[in-house]
Amino acid sequence: VRMWGHSPDEVGAVAQTRRSSRLDAFELDETARVCLKLEEALEGADIVVCAVPAQHVREVVAQTKPFIEPHAGFVSVAKGIEVESLLRPTQVIAEALGDDPDSAARPLGCLSGPTIAAELARCLPATMVASTDQATDDGSFAEALQRLFNTSWLRVYTNDDLLGVELSGATKNVIAIAAGILDGLQAGINAKSALLARGLAEIARLGIAMGASRDTFFGVAGVGDLATTCFSPEGRNRSFGEALGKGKTMDEYMHKSKFVVEGIATSRAVVALAAKYRTEMPITQAVHSVLFDGVDPLDAITGLMNRELKSEQIG
């Protein structure tokens, strides 16, 4: 295993101490190499795991192109949608690499699911999904990823709905911001459980409209990841939403945070996708209005509660 990061100072500190302030108490295994140069990290690599935040995937992956082996597979663990293009991370990777269309298709896939990093670092039981692009993979790459990442404490499933898996991972971050806002306002567990159920309904609605499988949204990568993100005190998006609910502004929070909150930019992208596919997503729209239109969080919740009464629909 070789690792590279965009910040020389941070990479140097990890290489020297084998620790990161982003993951307290975890010590990097001595067999893993931390590389200061991108070409050193990529030399001879068979599989490249891209853990770059969604809005920066294109820029970073483009830098890898001169050093990537033609056969090397790319695996994304980003959970977001590129705002400018409305593309998912694996789609952005494919465009950024711009492989020769006459050459063999490069394996592309993602790993996703309810996987809070601090719990994985302590080897607590968890599950995730390996999903690959059916246009470039007959299932063998997904199975290879499954075998590679499965351990006694991390169970990996395969799922051939790459669209649904990536969309689930992105959209759940927006719903998690709303969950955090409820926490900040001390709205209660009833409200949060209702939010999770209705949030899942609008995520599935968008996914089905885009061509994803309905089943994906009720599996590990869908409701599993959504529940973890909405209830975990360590979730970045939920924590950000909680700060908003307590009266902090987005700028105040982000100025002090050392983590990327994917749901902020993704809310822009998902609102645009909802408009493109003519899909009703009231919770996502409410989060967007709080973040970018100056709507008070309490007013946004009131607006959701006062919507026209109707029968419950899922997906």
Side-chain angles (χ1 to χ4, degrees):
V1 175
R2 282 168 283 170
M3 303 173 64
W4 173 86
H6 75 283
S7 168
D9 290 341
E10 188 169 7
V11 171
V14 172
Q16 186 173 24
T17 66
R18 315 300 289 178
R19 295 180 180 274
S20 169
S21 61
R22 298 172 187 269
L23 200 58
D24 293 339
F26 176 71
E27 185 171 346
L28 190 63
D29 190 279
E30 61 181 13
T31 61
R33 288 171 51 196
V34 182
C35 304
L36 292 172
K37 295 183 178 181
L38 186 57
E39 54 266 39
E40 179 186 355
L42 295 172
E43 183 181 4
D46 293 315
I47 294 178
V48 179
V49 179
C50 181
V52 178
Q55 306 309 317
H56 302 285
V57 167
R58 186 179 299 274
E59 172 192 355
V60 174
V61 171
Q63 296 177 41
T64 71
K65 190 173 180 180
F67 314 115
I68 289 290
E69 299 287 344
H71 66 277
F74 245 91
V75 185
S76 170
V77 295
K79 295 179 178 179
I81 303 289
E82 189 177 59
V83 174
E84 296 299 324
S85 66
L86 303 185
L87 295 179
R88 308 185 315 274
T90 56
Q91 294 176 308
V92 175
I93 289 170
E95 282 197 356
L97 289 175
D99 289 329
D100 185 348
D102 295 327
S103 63
R106 182 188 301 278
L108 291 173
C110 79
L111 291 168
S112 191
T115 47
I116 296 293
E119 293 188 8
L120 295 185
R122 287 160 32 218
C123 300
L124 297 181
T127 60
M128 68 189 324
V129 166
S131 186
T132 53
D133 187 350
Q134 289 181 291
T136 60
D137 178 41
D138 60 3
S140 58
F141 187 49
E143 292 174 359
L145 294 175
Q146 182 182 44
R147 291 191 300 269
L148 179 62
F149 288 95
N150 194 82
T151 71
S152 60
W153 49 269
L154 178 61
R155 181 173 175 82
V156 182
Y157 293 90
T158 59
N159 186 317
D160 61 7
D161 180 21
L162 183 60
L163 164 59
V165 170
E166 286 194 286
L167 192 64
S168 293
T171 51
K172 61 92 183 177
N173 283 333
V174 181
I175 305 303
I177 293 175
I181 290 174
L182 292 180
D183 286 341
L185 293 170
Q186 297 185 332
I189 296 299
N190 287 337
K192 191 189 278 193
S193 294
L195 174 80
L196 190 151
R198 297 313 304 158
L200 179 63
E202 65 181 58
I203 289 170
R205 229 176 2 247
L206 176 62
I208 292 168
M210 293 177 65
S213 169
R214 185 178 187 274
D215 290 346
T216 299
F217 302 101
F218 295 90
V220 169
V223 67
D225 204 2
L226 176 64
T228 292
T229 308
C230 286
F231 283 95
S232 171
E234 298 181 32
R236 302 176 187 180
N237 294 277
R238 192 215 60 81
S239 297
F240 165 64
E242 183 177 10
L244 295 181
K246 290 180 177 178
K248 281 192 176 182
T249 67
M250 180 166 61
D251 289 342
E252 287 173 343
Y253 184 88
M254 296 311 300
H255 180 70
K256 294 181 179 180
S257 176
K258 58 185 177 182
F259 297 110
V260 173
V261 180
E262 289 272 33
I264 295 175
T266 298
S267 69
R268 287 188 184 273
V270 176
V271 164
L273 284 173
K276 179 179 179 179
Y277 289 93
R278 300 181 181 181
T279 303
E280 188 178 30
M281 301 187 74
I283 298 172
T284 299
Q285 186 63 62
V287 171
H288 184 275
S289 68
V290 169
L291 297 180
F292 302 110
D293 299 330
V295 173
D296 184 271
L298 190 57
D299 291 338
I301 293 173
T302 301
L304 288 172
M305 296 299 291
N306 289 332
R307 295 175 67 240
E308 180 184 355
L309 297 176
K310 58 182 68 176
S311 63
E312 183 181 28
Q313 294 181 339
I314 307 296

